[in-house]
Amino acid sequence: MKKLINSAETVVTDALRGLAAAHPDLRVDPGGRIVSRACGPTPGKVGLVSGGGSGHEPLHAGFVGYGMLDAACPGEIFTSLVPDQMVTATAAANGGVGVLHVVKNYTGDVLNFELAADLCAEEGVEIARVLVDDDVAVRDSPDTAGRRGTGATVFVEKIAGAAAEGGAPLAEVARVAREVNARSRSFGIALEACTTPVSGRPTFELGETEIELGVGIHGEPGRSRAAMRDARELAAVALDAVNEDMPLSGDVLVMVNGLGGTPLIELHIVFAEIAERLSGRGARVARSLVGDYVTSLDMRGFSVTACLLSEDLARLWDAPVQTPALRWGR
Amino acid sequence: MKKLINSAETVVTDALRGLAAAHPDLRVDPGGRIVSRACGPTPGKVGLVSGGGSGHEPLHAGFVGYGMLDAACPGEIFTSLVPDQMVTATAAANGGVGVLHVVKNYTGDVLNFELAADLCAEEGVEIARVLVDDDVAVRDSPDTAGRRGTGATVFVEKIAGAAAEGGAPLAEVARVAREVNARSRSFGIALEACTTPVSGRPTFELGETEIELGVGIHGEPGRSRAAMRDARELAAVALDAVNEDMPLSGDVLVMVNGLGGTPLIELHIVFAEIAERLSGRGARVARSLVGDYVTSLDMRGFSVTACLLSEDLARLWDAPVQTPALRWGR
Amino acid sequence: MDTALLTRWITGIAETVRANRERLTELDAAIGDADHGVNLDRGFGAAVQALAEEPPVSPGALLRLVGGTLIRRVGGASGPLYGTAFREAGRHLGSLGDSPEVSPAELARALRAGLDGVTRLGSAAEGDKTMVDALAPAVRALESATASPAAARAVAEEREAFEAAASAALAGAEATIPMVARKGRASYLGPRSAGHEDPGAASCALVFAALLSAVNDPGQG
Amino acid sequence: MDTALLTRWITGIAETVRANRERLTELDAAIGDADHGVNLDRGFGAAVQALAEEPPVSPGALLRLVGGTLIRRVGGASGPLYGTAFREAGRHLGSLGDSPEVSPAELARALRAGLDGVTRLGSAAEGDKTMVDALAPAVRALESATASPAAARAVAEEREAFEAAASAALAGAEATIPMVARKGRASYLGPRSAGHEDPGAASCALVFAALLSAVNDPGQG
Ligand SMILES: Nc1ncnc2c1ncn2[C@@H]1O[C@H](COP(=O)(O)OP(=O)(O)O)[C@@H](O)[C@H]1O
Ligand SMILES: Nc1ncnc2c1ncn2[C@@H]1O[C@H](COP(=O)(O)OP(=O)(O)O)[C@@H](O)[C@H]1O
Ligand SMILES: [Mg+2]
Ligand SMILES: [Mg+2]
Ligand SMILES: [Mg+2]
Ligand SMILES: [Mg+2]
């Protein structure tokens, strides 16, 4: 598998050097693995910090900026960050009125954030945490580590970020963040697995007409294997999985997300079918994102994330945002 | 090759349906293959129209909106549009003071735009044309169809669009557009060829350690085959090819563009090397874009486009733009 | 030669292009962008449909309708070029009054006008590895074989004229294999374009093969 | 058992993890995200370096340094968990005054404290298909084999104790193959997780194999 890298070991550091060169409005520490706003923390504003394994670009570093995150810390490829990063990032985000940790629900992320939160608390920083767990491919039961955090992370970071920018206190920012997560569900489908730089081979093998349903964003195999079919049917499979878990109606914020190796033209084709099927359900696409937002290295495929909007959430979604990957109103 | 499509024949139409559903601020005619601003032409403003084969998304339709194009017309995959589309698009862009046709230099595009321009002229619309030919992989000689138009198209459409939005007359908008093209060069490298929906097979075969230097954006084979190497060396190959044709110095606008199947993290790695090598040359990255802007379906690889900025061009680059794919300052 | 024969011709082109769709696309994949077969299939399919919807009254009108349809439906380089070839041929016949019957010699002169249109638009010369390398020799062959006034009458010789044109086109197409392209997408490859037959020249050979069959085939009425 | 022996142990873990890096990553690829081997390689490599930079004065301090290093350097699920195991073991020895020598029985109790830390943090029970399925039986084996006060003295029996722990860990790891995961990434697969050995359990077996070699190997001084 050919990749545009210098070495498997330096992938994250090299990519952060590039992010730094491309975005003067970010402060990037490639070695320490911290990305924060160049302007530093905003005094009196609740700080937002997120992080996790790399390989999901633009998540999270691409969402650092006005109206969204204050800081992000990327871990190794697919490996959740380490506590020290979170502590440093939290300091870089701390405007004096508390910091919200946005944590995707994976054992590794949860444990490391937990250890980090303790250390932050010891330093006297007020910490709240929101666990993002929107992936309906995983049953939410004591027999699993719980649903995974995937696409909804973008919604949580955008909307909670807007609340924080608007001056809401920590408790309220955390409440909004949890509400967004509670109203969001995702489902992903892979046409081809991704290849990690270190292993150099696909994390799983799919036949010429096989696809993986309910795939994770770390190259984890999904819920089941199935036969390839056309975009309309695949859109239906994904949307129905979401709808089964959380009936869709009214105004919906929809993201059709590319997993890294999927061209935009195909994502638009999927989105067309999603939008049509939604309106067939009496729901409507009130807001949408189509593109690569939560990727899995070079995986081919897509995920669909739906969030049931309220007027407040829609207003916060529309609020100005200025980050490398999301930008409007400013 | 698995693709998220309904059928090879409906790819463009289906994708335009999706674009329409995702962008209420665009007027999209999936059948007629016309994308224009929902608000219609701006009276007294020079209109900007571009178009060409599909498969390069977000180019061109993704650049329709305030500060950039007024209308775009996508052809079939990799097949330049037909004259009727241009005529309709030109009408949709005509604010009464002339329309600029942005044409990528390919025989098919040139011939069809030529036939279209005649028809527009017959209808009394003042037409100017800018030919974009920035790809240094092709020698600019009577023995070729001339350099191809690739990445510089984004720069031309953004900067000429800003000039038009600023109220410049047709002659001036055309002059700026030509100046941007004259100051821009590109070079592309493919790690894997793309697969067209119709043929279903890669347009050329590369071995596990082979790459294609100077590849075109239509799956055309490039200048030569070479051995795969690391990101730093590949960045050097691309940048040096550009620099050989147009010595780089001073403030440079740089785009590291993904060809469709390349994850963002790899593009940032390449950009890091490009930026470093540039400053080694005494030039500096004054503005930049890193991402998928001029793609070639699912091709893996990247292209580098450099434009020698003047103060005026930098100002026009920074001017507000609000399109699906480029958005800032508004 | 009447509209029935020319309709058989266009229908024949559509059929042979459909049958050779993959091959033409293969050729284009090697030195172009792998869409020539698809482009012409779309174009001539549309042309056949157009002819069915409003059957033209004269060969000239028929060729103009086909040319316009190709220009409107094909796109790419081949659309305007093939479109121009048929349209200019039709316009030539129009300038002569659009009689319902044309002689092989008149058709030859019409196709010469078409060839001129192609070279005017695309400014390709023979040897540039384009459709011109098949079209030009085919037109010359047809012209010389229909030059003598007598020829136009004898049916046998008429066939020979179109056989000559068909094999000239085929030979011209094959002759593009060693050529280095100087026009169109293939020219990007420089020396690497040698060793491959030009797709447009190959499709042009099909066009003249279809013309020969149309002449040979008495038609269903 | 002194810091020299424990240093040999950690160094041994680093070596065997490096040697088994691909295998561990393979196992993780099947039911996880293909990084376990890489994670531990990074972690224990850093631990060995830390020990070299500031050689700890007591087994307790050594285990705490190793634990802290794993927590700071590994990430993922295994980082905090393995890190906690070593750190809690070290803290237990610290609570006993950090003597420069510890008996196998004391080490057994320390590892029990480490196991408790792992289950407290990860709340995994035996049978959940995690490292606990190798760690718990290993600790039990070491405890019972070092229970009798006499045992602690006889070198032969000491070895047997660590042999028992090593084979218990190995057996525990193999026993995870048929299990359906209820914790960690593998649990996402539900029934599909059965039929694969748990990478964390496999690495845990390596940890106790390395302990046995450290005990057997007299060391270079
Ligand atoms: N300037 C030109 N003059 C004549 N024929 C040309 C010229 N450029 C291209 N062609 C013909 O067009 C053919 C390619 O057609 P097609 O693949 O349908 O269009 P495109 O190259 O735009 O994809 C070439 O094989 C060549 O025969
Ligand atoms: N809750 C848990 N309790 C104990 N061990 C766990 C738990 N979750 C995961 N593990 C162990 O961690 C191993 C995976 O480690 P690793 O691959 O390095 O981290 P990650 O899963 O974050 O990529 C699993 O094989 C399992 O043995
Ligand atoms: Mg991991
Ligand atoms: Mg084409
Ligand atoms: Mg072509
Ligand atoms: Mg793992």
Side-chain angles (χ1 to χ4, degrees), chain A residues 76-84 105-108 111-112 114-115 138 142-146 148 198 201 203 212 218-225, chain D residues 21 25-26 29-35 38-39 42 71-77 80-81 84 87 121-122 181-185 187-190 192:
Chain A
E76 286 296 326
I77 296 288
F78 291 169
T79 300
S80 53
L81 39 73
V82 292
D84 297 13
N105 185 38
Y106 299 94
T107 304
L111 298 183
N112 285 285
E114 216 160 276
L115 297 173
V138 178
D143 286 358
T144 70
R148 296 176 290 224
V198 171
R201 266 172 298 92
T203 55
E212 190 79 17
H218 302 86
E220 311 102 317
R223 202 190 244 177
S224 64
R225 206 132 293 185
Chain D
R21 192 179 119 126
T25 296
E26 285 298 303
I31 58 174
D33 61 353
D35 63 0
V38 184
N39 291 346
R42 184 172 60 249
I71 288 175
R72 279 203 320 284
R73 295 299 305 280
V74 176
L81 290 163
T84 299
R87 192 166 62 176
L121 184 62
R182 271 193 297 271
K183 284 277 180 287
R185 221 175 274 287
S187 71
Y188 301 144
L189 292 174
R192 279 176 104 188

Side-chain angles (χ1 to χ4, degrees), chain B residues 9 76-84 105-109 111-112 114-115 137-138 142-146 148 196 198-199 201 203 212 218-225, chain C residues 21-22 25-26 29-35 38-39 42 70-81 84 87 121-122 181-185 187-192:
Chain B
E9 292 63 38
E76 287 295 327
I77 297 287
F78 291 168
T79 301
S80 54
L81 40 69
V82 293
D84 297 16
N105 186 37
Y106 298 95
T107 304
D109 297 54
L111 297 184
N112 284 283
E114 216 160 276
L115 297 173
V138 177
D143 285 359
T144 70
R148 296 176 290 224
T196 62
V198 171
S199 91
R201 265 171 302 90
T203 55
E212 190 78 17
H218 302 87
E220 308 104 316
R223 204 190 243 179
S224 64
R225 256 311 118 114
Chain C
R21 193 178 119 125
E22 308 315 326
T25 297
E26 286 298 303
I31 58 174
D33 61 352
D35 64 359
V38 183
N39 290 347
R42 184 173 60 250
L70 293 178
I71 288 174
R72 277 205 320 287
R73 295 300 305 282
V74 175
S78 58
L81 290 163
T84 299
R87 193 168 61 177
L121 184 60
R182 270 192 299 269
K183 285 276 179 287
R185 221 175 273 287
S187 70
Y188 301 145
L189 292 174
R192 275 176 105 189

Side-chain angles (χ1 to χ4, degrees), chain A residues 5-320:
Chain A
I5 63 177
N6 291 319
S7 77
E9 293 62 38
T10 59
V11 165
V12 176
T13 316
D14 290 343
L16 287 176
R17 284 169 44 231
L19 187 75
H23 298 287
D25 46 351
L26 295 181
R27 177 178 304 144
V28 180
D29 173 357
R33 306 279 167 90
I34 311 290
V35 178
S36 57
R37 301 186 191 181
C39 57
T42 311
K45 182 184 91 66
V46 168
L48 254 78
V49 178
S50 192
S54 293
H56 309 304
E57 293 64 29
L59 191 78
H60 296 275
F63 298 126
V64 173
Y66 180 87
M68 219 159 162
L69 297 178
D70 292 273
C73 24
E76 286 296 326
I77 296 288
F78 291 169
T79 300
S80 53
L81 39 73
V82 292
D84 297 13
Q85 285 174 282
M86 281 308 300
V87 174
T88 317
T90 301
N94 183 9
V97 294
V99 174
L100 177 69
H101 286 177
V102 180
V103 185
K104 303 198 294 304
N105 185 38
Y106 299 94
T107 304
D109 297 53
V110 172
L111 298 183
N112 285 285
F113 267 93
E114 216 160 276
L115 297 173
D118 297 347
L119 297 173
C120 295
E122 284 169 20
E123 294 177 13
V125 186
E126 192 187 355
I127 299 293
R129 185 184 80 172
V130 54
L131 258 194
V132 182
D133 63 341
D134 53 309
D135 185 351
V136 300
V138 178
R139 266 177 311 94
D140 188 13
S141 94
D143 286 358
T144 70
R147 284 194 309 245
R148 296 176 290 224
T150 58
T153 315
V154 179
F155 297 171
V156 169
E157 292 176 359
K158 167 65 183 82
I159 291 176
E165 217 68 60
L170 181 58
E172 171 60 9
V173 174
R175 188 198 63 72
V176 170
R178 295 193 188 97
E179 181 184 2
V180 173
N181 178 63
R183 289 164 164 270
S184 301
R185 296 291 188 279
S186 297
F187 190 84
I189 297 178
L191 307 192
E192 297 295 349
C194 60
T195 301
T196 61
V198 171
S199 90
R201 266 172 298 92
T203 55
F204 53 86
E205 294 284 356
L206 289 172
E208 244 322 301
T209 64
E210 272 183 328
I211 59 175
E212 190 79 17
L213 300 181
V215 71
I217 58 172
H218 302 86
E220 311 102 317
R223 202 190 244 177
S224 64
R225 206 132 293 185
M228 178 61 182
R229 50 208 100 158
D230 70 21
R232 165 162 298 172
E233 295 171 67
L234 291 179
V237 168
L239 192 66
D240 294 356
V242 165
N243 185 73
E244 225 169 75
D245 200 274
M246 181 185 75
L248 299 168
S249 67
D251 283 4
V252 184
L253 163 60
V254 178
M255 173 168 73
V256 167
N257 172 61
L259 295 179
T262 312
L264 183 59
I265 188 171
E266 296 184 27
L267 298 179
H268 274 125
I269 291 173
V270 170
F271 185 73
E273 303 302 337
I274 294 281
E276 202 172 294
R277 196 168 180 86
L278 257 180
S279 53
R281 282 238 163 64
R284 82 177 187 97
V285 176
R287 305 286 189 279
S288 64
L289 287 178
V290 180
D292 285 11
Y293 294 99
V294 183
T295 60
S296 187
L297 290 174
D298 57 351
M299 183 180 284
R300 284 170 180 262
F302 72 99
S303 64
V304 174
T305 303
C307 173
L308 301 173
L309 284 177
S310 67
E311 272 187 17
D312 288 355
L313 295 187
R315 194 174 35 72
L316 290 166
W317 177 258
D318 293 338

